[in-house]
């Protein structure tokens, strides 16, 4: 008998928001660009509104119930116990040749990324295998049991949910799009 042990669920929901909702979110982001500042997760040429107490989703309340509902579904499938409390939310804008360093979201249980602006030149979102020993193993062929990482191509209106402890970033690649824009959030 074979057992697939220790799986990690990442959920991708394309067209999570409508074109009208996307337009409204872009307008709110444009009005709040003055809150952008440098953040240690990004290299040069990128800024974020991230703070431990950031509440950007409060600025776009029409989207909060939709996010809350899919987070509840995700936690139910994963079996995670949460308070279903949005702990913080923010937006990031990456310019050309910026980088997103590998990181986690300590203190949260579920994290999410809602892509607002992205194109074929946007850096991919990589998730890294949480088993540190995988890097010391020689592979004859790649499969679901030995990937060092997987990635998602960012697409506007797409939401990605994942465990907050899962390392993610751009895997050392530079963003080549003009304004890769993401609304991110944490739930505990």
């Amino acid at each position: 008998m074979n057992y697939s042990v220790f799986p990690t669920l990442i959920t991708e929901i394309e067209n999570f928001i409508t074109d009208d909702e996307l337009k409204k979110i872009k307008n709110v982001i444009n009005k709040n660009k003055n809150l952008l500042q440098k953040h240690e997760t990004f290299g040069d040429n990128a800024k974020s509104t991230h703070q431990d107490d950031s509440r950007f989703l409060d600025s776009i309340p029409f989207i909060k119930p939709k996010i809350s509902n899919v987070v509840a579904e995700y936690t139910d499938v994963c079996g995670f116990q949460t308070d279903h409390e949005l702990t913080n939310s923010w937006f990031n804008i990456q310019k050309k040749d910026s980088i997103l360093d590998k990181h986690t979201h300590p203190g949260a249980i579920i994290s999410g990324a809602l892509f607002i602006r992205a194109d074929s030149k946007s850096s991919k979102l990589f998730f890294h295998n949480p088993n540190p020993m995988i890097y010391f193993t020689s592979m004859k062929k790649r499969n679901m049991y030995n990937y060092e990482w997987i990635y998602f191509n960012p697409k506007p209106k797409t939401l990605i949910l994942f465990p907050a402890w899962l390392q993610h970033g751009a895997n050392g690649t530079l963003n080549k799009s003009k304004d890769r824009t993401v609304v991110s959030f944490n739930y505990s």
Side-chain angles (χ1 to χ4, degrees):
M1 170 134 341
N2 293 324
Y3 297 91
S4 293
V5 297
F6 313 124
T8 302
L9 179 65
I10 298 172
T11 298
E12 179 185 39
I13 306 169
E14 292 185 7
N15 295 309
F16 178 71
I17 56 175
T18 66
D19 288 335
D20 186 52
E21 290 169 330
L22 178 65
K23 184 178 177 180
K24 288 177 184 177
I25 293 170
K26 284 179 179 179
N27 287 336
V28 174
I29 286 172
N30 286 334
K31 290 177 184 174
N32 286 282
K33 283 185 176 180
N34 62 312
L35 300 175
L36 287 165
Q37 55 191 351
K38 289 213 173 266
H39 190 271
E40 70 267 4
T41 304
F42 295 100
D44 292 335
N45 218 14
K47 293 188 176 180
S48 178
T49 63
H50 181 272
Q51 300 285 324
D52 288 341
D53 61 351
S54 303
R55 302 293 293 194
F56 179 70
L57 287 179
D58 289 345
S59 303
I60 48 174
F62 57 90
I63 209 71
K64 282 176 70 174
K66 286 175 80 168
I67 289 174
S68 183
N69 287 339
V70 296
V71 167
E73 290 172 15
Y74 179 88
T75 57
D76 187 50
V77 170
C78 292
F80 296 149
Q81 182 174 338
T82 70
D83 295 331
H84 294 286
E85 179 183 332
L86 176 68
T87 52
N88 61 344
S89 55
W90 62 96
F91 68 91
N92 309 308
I93 298 178
Q94 288 184 254
K95 301 290 186 183
K96 186 177 180 191
D97 295 329
S98 63
I99 193 162
L100 175 62
D101 293 331
K102 184 165 53 169
H103 65 284
T104 62
H105 294 211
I109 296 172
I110 308 298
S111 294
L114 176 59
F115 290 93
I116 305 303
R117 288 187 183 102
D119 58 35
S120 62
K121 296 178 183 179
S122 295
S123 56
K124 297 168 177 62
L125 179 58
F126 286 79
F127 291 93
H128 298 270
N129 189 328
N131 177 358
M133 304 318 289
I134 199 73
Y135 299 99
F136 298 106
T137 307
S138 297
M139 306 300 168
K140 184 165 78 173
K141 65 177 182 176
R142 295 281 175 208
N143 61 38
M144 66 183 270
Y145 302 111
N146 63 29
Y147 286 129
E148 294 172 4
W149 43 258
I150 64 160
Y151 67 82
F152 292 82
N153 288 310
K155 296 172 273 235
K157 304 189 299 183
T158 298
L159 176 67
I160 298 181
L161 297 175
F162 53 95
W165 51 259
L166 188 61
Q167 287 189 332
H168 56 285
N171 205 28
T173 60
L174 294 177
N175 176 59
K176 293 297 183 180
S177 63
K178 181 181 172 187
D179 285 313
R180 182 184 185 273
T181 305
V182 180
V183 172
S184 299
F185 55 85
N186 290 320
Y187 271 78
S188 63

